[in-house]
Amino acid sequence: MTFEGFPEAALDFYDDLEVDNTKAFWEEHREVHATAVKAPMTALTAALADEFGEAKIYRPYRDVRFSKDKTPLKTHQGALVATGPALGYYVQVGAPGVSVGVGFYHAEPGRLAAFRDAIVHDRHGPELEHLVSDLESAGWERGGERLKTSPRGYDADHPRIDLLRHKSLSLTRSYGFEPFIHTPELLDRVRGDWRAGTPLLDWLAVHTHQS
């Protein structure tokens, strides 16, 4: 299947889902999701696979076993190309439109310690600082779980304390409702942005590795 963009029906599906997140809605609109959401996402990630790797396209169902929120469906469709544990390229479509991202979303204590040790390193720390700054200057937004205070054992006055507070780190770019998300041009946009994010992923692959 050739990627032609996400149709308007994909955004309409998630607009309606946010109003009526029920099993009944899913049963009535299952085919819309299959044709307007999952099929284009499959085509998009397949077109990128030769360069970046195979993607995991997430299931539409939420895990509600331990959640107070029992709504059954996720309000977006995401896909991840893993380049390491909890690390990789990401693309998502939902009611706010389409967005892309790179980064890591979870680190065990040993990996988190390695990440922070690299941040305080005289060479590796400034490398990360520049990689993040370059993406932010290009319109990416930094996210991830962050401590409100300094991590134990690190100086609150450290010049990279803002990065040291991160327990996970992502850089994302939102395309919103730009007309190109409904066209094949989206493929080139995602490819270009994933390429731009590759140096950050390469840094993280090395410096979140637990020996």
Side-chain angles (χ1 to χ4, degrees), residues 11-47:
L11 305 187
D12 291 343
F13 172 84
Y14 285 108
D15 277 335
D16 294 340
L17 177 63
E18 290 194 349
V19 175
D20 184 16
N21 194 329
T22 62
K23 292 181 179 178
F25 175 88
W26 172 249
E27 291 302 326
E28 186 176 347
H29 296 85
R30 183 194 298 263
E31 186 60 26
V32 176
H33 178 272
T35 58
V37 178
K38 186 175 180 180
M41 183 65 82
T42 301
L44 174 62
T45 54

mmCIF file of all heavy atoms in Angstrom, residues 11-47:
data_model
loop_
_atom_site.group_PDB
_atom_site.id
_atom_site.type_symbol
_atom_site.label_atom_id
_atom_site.label_comp_id
_atom_site.label_asym_id
_atom_site.label_seq_id
_atom_site.Cartn_x
_atom_site.Cartn_y
_atom_site.Cartn_z
ATOM 1 N N LEU A 11 -8.749 12.175 11.733
ATOM 2 C CA LEU A 11 -8.886 13.202 12.770
ATOM 3 C C LEU A 11 -10.313 13.246 13.296
ATOM 4 O O LEU A 11 -10.531 13.438 14.501
ATOM 5 C CB LEU A 11 -8.479 14.562 12.209
ATOM 6 C CG LEU A 11 -7.083 14.653 11.589
ATOM 7 C CD1 LEU A 11 -6.759 16.104 11.241
ATOM 8 C CD2 LEU A 11 -6.019 14.079 12.513
ATOM 9 N N ASP A 12 -11.275 13.063 12.404
ATOM 10 C CA ASP A 12 -12.674 13.035 12.833
ATOM 11 C C ASP A 12 -12.926 11.874 13.792
ATOM 12 O O ASP A 12 -13.667 12.018 14.781
ATOM 13 C CB ASP A 12 -13.603 12.902 11.625
ATOM 14 C CG ASP A 12 -13.612 14.143 10.745
ATOM 15 O OD1 ASP A 12 -13.174 15.211 11.226
ATOM 16 O OD2 ASP A 12 -14.042 14.041 9.581
ATOM 17 N N PHE A 13 -12.302 10.729 13.500
ATOM 18 C CA PHE A 13 -12.447 9.564 14.373
ATOM 19 C C PHE A 13 -12.017 9.905 15.795
ATOM 20 O O PHE A 13 -12.720 9.596 16.771
ATOM 21 C CB PHE A 13 -11.614 8.400 13.832
ATOM 22 C CG PHE A 13 -11.542 7.217 14.745
ATOM 23 C CD1 PHE A 13 -12.537 6.250 14.754
ATOM 24 C CD2 PHE A 13 -10.469 7.063 15.628
ATOM 25 C CE1 PHE A 13 -12.474 5.149 15.614
ATOM 26 C CE2 PHE A 13 -10.399 5.973 16.485
ATOM 27 C CZ PHE A 13 -11.396 5.014 16.477
ATOM 28 N N TYR A 14 -10.856 10.565 15.939
ATOM 29 C CA TYR A 14 -10.359 10.870 17.279
ATOM 30 C C TYR A 14 -11.114 12.030 17.924
ATOM 31 O O TYR A 14 -11.265 12.055 19.158
ATOM 32 C CB TYR A 14 -8.850 11.120 17.236
ATOM 33 C CG TYR A 14 -8.091 9.824 17.088
ATOM 34 C CD1 TYR A 14 -7.467 9.491 15.896
ATOM 35 C CD2 TYR A 14 -8.048 8.908 18.127
ATOM 36 C CE1 TYR A 14 -6.790 8.282 15.753
ATOM 37 C CE2 TYR A 14 -7.383 7.703 17.997
ATOM 38 C CZ TYR A 14 -6.764 7.390 16.809
ATOM 39 O OH TYR A 14 -6.115 6.181 16.671
ATOM 40 N N ASP A 15 -11.595 12.964 17.132
ATOM 41 C CA ASP A 15 -12.473 14.002 17.689
ATOM 42 C C ASP A 15 -13.703 13.368 18.327
ATOM 43 O O ASP A 15 -14.102 13.708 19.451
ATOM 44 C CB ASP A 15 -12.919 14.971 16.587
ATOM 45 C CG ASP A 15 -11.887 16.054 16.300
ATOM 46 O OD1 ASP A 15 -11.093 16.366 17.209
ATOM 47 O OD2 ASP A 15 -11.891 16.583 15.184
ATOM 48 N N ASP A 16 -14.321 12.446 17.602
ATOM 49 C CA ASP A 16 -15.532 11.790 18.110
ATOM 50 C C ASP A 16 -15.212 10.871 19.289
ATOM 51 O O ASP A 16 -15.997 10.783 20.244
ATOM 52 C CB ASP A 16 -16.199 10.984 16.988
ATOM 53 C CG ASP A 16 -16.747 11.868 15.875
ATOM 54 O OD1 ASP A 16 -16.960 13.076 16.126
ATOM 55 O OD2 ASP A 16 -16.955 11.359 14.761
ATOM 56 N N LEU A 17 -14.058 10.205 19.234
ATOM 57 C CA LEU A 17 -13.682 9.296 20.314
ATOM 58 C C LEU A 17 -13.503 10.036 21.630
ATOM 59 O O LEU A 17 -13.836 9.506 22.702
ATOM 60 C CB LEU A 17 -12.387 8.570 19.941
ATOM 61 C CG LEU A 17 -11.816 7.621 20.993
ATOM 62 C CD1 LEU A 17 -12.785 6.478 21.275
ATOM 63 C CD2 LEU A 17 -10.456 7.079 20.542
ATOM 64 N N GLU A 18 -12.962 11.248 21.577
ATOM 65 C CA GLU A 18 -12.760 12.000 22.810
ATOM 66 C C GLU A 18 -14.085 12.363 23.477
ATOM 67 O O GLU A 18 -14.141 12.584 24.681
ATOM 68 C CB GLU A 18 -11.935 13.256 22.530
ATOM 69 C CG GLU A 18 -10.489 12.923 22.177
ATOM 70 C CD GLU A 18 -9.570 14.131 22.223
ATOM 71 O OE1 GLU A 18 -10.083 15.266 22.315
ATOM 72 O OE2 GLU A 18 -8.343 13.944 22.172
ATOM 73 N N VAL A 19 -15.148 12.388 22.682
ATOM 74 C CA VAL A 19 -16.484 12.658 23.220
ATOM 75 C C VAL A 19 -17.150 11.373 23.704
ATOM 76 O O VAL A 19 -17.864 11.359 24.707
ATOM 77 C CB VAL A 19 -17.367 13.350 22.158
ATOM 78 C CG1 VAL A 19 -18.790 13.536 22.666
ATOM 79 C CG2 VAL A 19 -16.764 14.695 21.766
ATOM 80 N N ASP A 20 -16.911 10.285 23.005
ATOM 81 C CA ASP A 20 -17.615 9.025 23.289
ATOM 82 C C ASP A 20 -16.631 7.869 23.276
ATOM 83 O O ASP A 20 -16.582 7.088 22.326
ATOM 84 C CB ASP A 20 -18.720 8.811 22.237
ATOM 85 C CG ASP A 20 -19.565 7.570 22.515
ATOM 86 O OD1 ASP A 20 -19.512 7.046 23.646
ATOM 87 O OD2 ASP A 20 -20.266 7.109 21.584
ATOM 88 N N ASN A 21 -15.820 7.761 24.329
ATOM 89 C CA ASN A 21 -14.817 6.706 24.417
ATOM 90 C C ASN A 21 -15.453 5.482 25.074
ATOM 91 O O ASN A 21 -15.316 5.238 26.271
ATOM 92 C CB ASN A 21 -13.603 7.188 25.211
ATOM 93 C CG ASN A 21 -12.404 6.274 25.054
ATOM 94 O OD1 ASN A 21 -12.539 5.079 24.863
ATOM 95 N ND2 ASN A 21 -11.225 6.862 25.144
ATOM 96 N N THR A 22 -16.170 4.699 24.258
ATOM 97 C CA THR A 22 -16.904 3.542 24.755
ATOM 98 C C THR A 22 -16.700 2.360 23.811
ATOM 99 O O THR A 22 -16.312 2.515 22.647
ATOM 100 C CB THR A 22 -18.416 3.830 24.831
ATOM 101 O OG1 THR A 22 -18.905 4.105 23.500
ATOM 102 C CG2 THR A 22 -18.701 5.013 25.743
ATOM 103 N N LYS A 23 -16.997 1.169 24.317
ATOM 104 C CA LYS A 23 -16.934 -0.025 23.470
ATOM 105 C C LYS A 23 -17.953 0.062 22.343
ATOM 106 O O LYS A 23 -17.699 -0.426 21.236
ATOM 107 C CB LYS A 23 -17.167 -1.271 24.321
ATOM 108 C CG LYS A 23 -16.036 -1.562 25.299
ATOM 109 C CD LYS A 23 -16.300 -2.829 26.101
ATOM 110 C CE LYS A 23 -15.151 -3.118 27.058
ATOM 111 N NZ LYS A 23 -15.408 -4.334 27.878
ATOM 112 N N ALA A 24 -19.094 0.661 22.628
ATOM 113 C CA ALA A 24 -20.128 0.789 21.599
ATOM 114 C C ALA A 24 -19.622 1.654 20.444
ATOM 115 O O ALA A 24 -19.857 1.333 19.269
ATOM 116 C CB ALA A 24 -21.395 1.388 22.195
ATOM 117 N N PHE A 25 -18.937 2.747 20.775
ATOM 118 C CA PHE A 25 -18.372 3.598 19.721
ATOM 119 C C PHE A 25 -17.360 2.808 18.897
ATOM 120 O O PHE A 25 -17.347 2.892 17.666
ATOM 121 C CB PHE A 25 -17.694 4.821 20.345
ATOM 122 C CG PHE A 25 -16.981 5.696 19.344
ATOM 123 C CD1 PHE A 25 -17.650 6.709 18.695
ATOM 124 C CD2 PHE A 25 -15.635 5.477 19.029
ATOM 125 C CE1 PHE A 25 -17.000 7.509 17.753
ATOM 126 C CE2 PHE A 25 -14.974 6.258 18.102
ATOM 127 C CZ PHE A 25 -15.670 7.275 17.459
ATOM 128 N N TRP A 26 -16.502 2.036 19.570
ATOM 129 C CA TRP A 26 -15.492 1.265 18.855
ATOM 130 C C TRP A 26 -16.133 0.265 17.894
ATOM 131 O O TRP A 26 -15.706 0.141 16.748
ATOM 132 C CB TRP A 26 -14.590 0.553 19.850
ATOM 133 C CG TRP A 26 -13.641 -0.405 19.205
ATOM 134 C CD1 TRP A 26 -13.654 -1.763 19.287
ATOM 135 C CD2 TRP A 26 -12.531 -0.082 18.364
ATOM 136 N NE1 TRP A 26 -12.623 -2.307 18.564
ATOM 137 C CE2 TRP A 26 -11.919 -1.291 17.978
ATOM 138 C CE3 TRP A 26 -11.990 1.126 17.897
ATOM 139 C CZ2 TRP A 26 -10.805 -1.348 17.160
ATOM 140 C CZ3 TRP A 26 -10.871 1.083 17.077
ATOM 141 C CH2 TRP A 26 -10.298 -0.138 16.712
ATOM 142 N N GLU A 27 -17.141 -0.434 18.368
ATOM 143 C CA GLU A 27 -17.787 -1.423 17.514
ATOM 144 C C GLU A 27 -18.387 -0.765 16.276
ATOM 145 O O GLU A 27 -18.342 -1.327 15.183
ATOM 146 C CB GLU A 27 -18.864 -2.180 18.295
ATOM 147 C CG GLU A 27 -18.309 -3.104 19.370
ATOM 148 C CD GLU A 27 -17.360 -4.153 18.813
ATOM 149 O OE1 GLU A 27 -17.568 -4.617 17.674
ATOM 150 O OE2 GLU A 27 -16.389 -4.508 19.517
ATOM 151 N N GLU A 28 -18.924 0.430 16.453
ATOM 152 C CA GLU A 28 -19.558 1.132 15.336
ATOM 153 C C GLU A 28 -18.526 1.718 14.374
ATOM 154 O O GLU A 28 -18.798 1.874 13.177
ATOM 155 C CB GLU A 28 -20.461 2.234 15.876
ATOM 156 C CG GLU A 28 -21.277 2.930 14.810
ATOM 157 C CD GLU A 28 -22.242 3.961 15.387
ATOM 158 O OE1 GLU A 28 -22.443 3.959 16.615
ATOM 159 O OE2 GLU A 28 -22.776 4.763 14.605
ATOM 160 N N HIS A 29 -17.335 2.051 14.878
ATOM 161 C CA HIS A 29 -16.347 2.763 14.068
ATOM 162 C C HIS A 29 -15.059 1.970 13.855
ATOM 163 O O HIS A 29 -14.058 2.531 13.378
ATOM 164 C CB HIS A 29 -16.003 4.109 14.726
ATOM 165 C CG HIS A 29 -17.151 5.052 14.798
ATOM 166 N ND1 HIS A 29 -18.067 5.017 15.825
ATOM 167 C CD2 HIS A 29 -17.549 6.046 13.955
ATOM 168 C CE1 HIS A 29 -18.972 5.962 15.632
ATOM 169 N NE2 HIS A 29 -18.686 6.593 14.506
ATOM 170 N N ARG A 30 -15.081 0.689 14.155
ATOM 171 C CA ARG A 30 -13.897 -0.155 14.007
ATOM 172 C C ARG A 30 -13.323 -0.090 12.581
ATOM 173 O O ARG A 30 -12.118 0.002 12.388
ATOM 174 C CB ARG A 30 -14.250 -1.592 14.363
ATOM 175 C CG ARG A 30 -13.083 -2.549 14.306
ATOM 176 C CD ARG A 30 -13.587 -3.992 14.342
ATOM 177 N NE ARG A 30 -14.294 -4.278 15.559
ATOM 178 C CZ ARG A 30 -13.748 -4.862 16.631
ATOM 179 N NH1 ARG A 30 -12.477 -5.200 16.608
ATOM 180 N NH2 ARG A 30 -14.470 -5.124 17.702
ATOM 181 N N GLU A 31 -14.209 -0.121 11.589
ATOM 182 C CA GLU A 31 -13.756 -0.120 10.204
ATOM 183 C C GLU A 31 -13.131 1.222 9.825
ATOM 184 O O GLU A 31 -12.184 1.279 9.032
ATOM 185 C CB GLU A 31 -14.919 -0.445 9.265
ATOM 186 C CG GLU A 31 -14.522 -0.616 7.805
ATOM 187 C CD GLU A 31 -13.517 -1.747 7.587
ATOM 188 O OE1 GLU A 31 -13.485 -2.694 8.408
ATOM 189 O OE2 GLU A 31 -12.767 -1.671 6.599
ATOM 190 N N VAL A 32 -13.644 2.324 10.403
ATOM 191 C CA VAL A 32 -13.051 3.636 10.148
ATOM 192 C C VAL A 32 -11.610 3.661 10.650
ATOM 193 O O VAL A 32 -10.702 4.148 9.968
ATOM 194 C CB VAL A 32 -13.878 4.757 10.807
ATOM 195 C CG1 VAL A 32 -13.207 6.113 10.615
ATOM 196 C CG2 VAL A 32 -15.286 4.780 10.250
ATOM 197 N N HIS A 33 -11.412 3.127 11.838
ATOM 198 C CA HIS A 33 -10.056 3.071 12.376
ATOM 199 C C HIS A 33 -9.154 2.238 11.476
ATOM 200 O O HIS A 33 -8.011 2.613 11.191
ATOM 201 C CB HIS A 33 -10.067 2.490 13.792
ATOM 202 C CG HIS A 33 -8.712 2.356 14.405
ATOM 203 N ND1 HIS A 33 -7.927 1.225 14.238
ATOM 204 C CD2 HIS A 33 -7.971 3.215 15.167
ATOM 205 C CE1 HIS A 33 -6.789 1.385 14.865
ATOM 206 N NE2 HIS A 33 -6.787 2.570 15.437
ATOM 207 N N ALA A 34 -9.658 1.113 11.012
ATOM 208 C CA ALA A 34 -8.853 0.215 10.183
ATOM 209 C C ALA A 34 -8.422 0.878 8.885
ATOM 210 O O ALA A 34 -7.266 0.735 8.456
ATOM 211 C CB ALA A 34 -9.638 -1.065 9.893
ATOM 212 N N THR A 35 -9.333 1.621 8.252
ATOM 213 C CA THR A 35 -9.034 2.183 6.929
ATOM 214 C C THR A 35 -8.413 3.566 6.980
ATOM 215 O O THR A 35 -7.552 3.895 6.165
ATOM 216 C CB THR A 35 -10.316 2.237 6.079
ATOM 217 O OG1 THR A 35 -11.302 3.033 6.754
ATOM 218 C CG2 THR A 35 -10.867 0.843 5.837
ATOM 219 N N ALA A 36 -8.844 4.391 7.946
ATOM 220 C CA ALA A 36 -8.399 5.791 7.985
ATOM 221 C C ALA A 36 -7.218 6.017 8.915
ATOM 222 O O ALA A 36 -6.511 7.027 8.783
ATOM 223 C CB ALA A 36 -9.552 6.703 8.408
ATOM 224 N N VAL A 37 -6.984 5.104 9.852
ATOM 225 C CA VAL A 37 -5.912 5.275 10.838
ATOM 226 C C VAL A 37 -4.836 4.197 10.692
ATOM 227 O O VAL A 37 -3.693 4.486 10.371
ATOM 228 C CB VAL A 37 -6.476 5.268 12.278
ATOM 229 C CG1 VAL A 37 -5.337 5.387 13.296
ATOM 230 C CG2 VAL A 37 -7.481 6.392 12.473
ATOM 231 N N LYS A 38 -5.224 2.950 10.906
ATOM 232 C CA LYS A 38 -4.218 1.884 10.938
ATOM 233 C C LYS A 38 -3.583 1.652 9.571
ATOM 234 O O LYS A 38 -2.357 1.495 9.469
ATOM 235 C CB LYS A 38 -4.831 0.588 11.448
ATOM 236 C CG LYS A 38 -3.800 -0.513 11.634
ATOM 237 C CD LYS A 38 -4.375 -1.763 12.254
ATOM 238 C CE LYS A 38 -3.295 -2.831 12.429
ATOM 239 N NZ LYS A 38 -3.834 -4.063 13.044
ATOM 240 N N ALA A 39 -4.382 1.617 8.515
ATOM 241 C CA ALA A 39 -3.820 1.347 7.182
ATOM 242 C C ALA A 39 -2.829 2.426 6.752
ATOM 243 O O ALA A 39 -1.712 2.098 6.302
ATOM 244 C CB ALA A 39 -4.940 1.189 6.154
ATOM 245 N N PRO A 40 -3.148 3.723 6.891
ATOM 246 C CA PRO A 40 -2.145 4.735 6.552
ATOM 247 C C PRO A 40 -0.902 4.675 7.442
ATOM 248 O O PRO A 40 0.220 4.874 6.953
ATOM 249 C CB PRO A 40 -2.893 6.062 6.728
ATOM 250 C CG PRO A 40 -4.325 5.712 6.599
ATOM 251 C CD PRO A 40 -4.457 4.340 7.161
ATOM 252 N N MET A 41 -1.091 4.405 8.734
ATOM 253 C CA MET A 41 0.071 4.303 9.620
ATOM 254 C C MET A 41 0.954 3.132 9.210
ATOM 255 O O MET A 41 2.195 3.228 9.225
ATOM 256 C CB MET A 41 -0.371 4.154 11.076
ATOM 257 C CG MET A 41 0.777 4.106 12.077
ATOM 258 S SD MET A 41 1.735 5.645 12.157
ATOM 259 C CE MET A 41 0.678 6.626 13.254
ATOM 260 N N THR A 42 0.348 2.039 8.832
ATOM 261 C CA THR A 42 1.107 0.879 8.366
ATOM 262 C C THR A 42 1.884 1.218 7.103
ATOM 263 O O THR A 42 3.064 0.866 6.959
ATOM 264 C CB THR A 42 0.161 -0.310 8.108
ATOM 265 O OG1 THR A 42 -0.540 -0.634 9.315
ATOM 266 C CG2 THR A 42 0.931 -1.530 7.630
ATOM 267 N N ALA A 43 1.233 1.919 6.177
ATOM 268 C CA ALA A 43 1.903 2.304 4.930
ATOM 269 C C ALA A 43 3.036 3.291 5.189
ATOM 270 O O ALA A 43 4.112 3.198 4.578
ATOM 271 C CB ALA A 43 0.882 2.903 3.964
ATOM 272 N N LEU A 44 2.819 4.235 6.099
ATOM 273 C CA LEU A 44 3.852 5.233 6.418
ATOM 274 C C LEU A 44 5.077 4.569 7.013
ATOM 275 O O LEU A 44 6.213 4.807 6.577
ATOM 276 C CB LEU A 44 3.276 6.259 7.390
ATOM 277 C CG LEU A 44 4.250 7.297 7.961
ATOM 278 C CD1 LEU A 44 4.833 8.166 6.856
ATOM 279 C CD2 LEU A 44 3.556 8.157 9.018
ATOM 280 N N THR A 45 4.884 3.728 8.017
ATOM 281 C CA THR A 45 6.028 3.102 8.679
ATOM 282 C C THR A 45 6.719 2.095 7.763
ATOM 283 O O THR A 45 7.942 1.933 7.837
ATOM 284 C CB THR A 45 5.599 2.441 9.999
ATOM 285 O OG1 THR A 45 4.506 1.533 9.755
ATOM 286 C CG2 THR A 45 5.156 3.480 11.017
ATOM 287 N N ALA A 46 5.957 1.436 6.890
ATOM 288 C CA ALA A 46 6.572 0.514 5.936
ATOM 289 C C ALA A 46 7.487 1.260 4.971
ATOM 290 O O ALA A 46 8.562 0.773 4.603
ATOM 291 C CB ALA A 46 5.491 -0.248 5.164
ATOM 292 N N ALA A 47 7.069 2.462 4.560
ATOM 293 C CA ALA A 47 7.882 3.257 3.633
ATOM 294 C C ALA A 47 9.164 3.760 4.284
ATOM 295 O O ALA A 47 10.132 4.088 3.589
ATOM 296 C CB ALA A 47 7.056 4.441 3.108
#
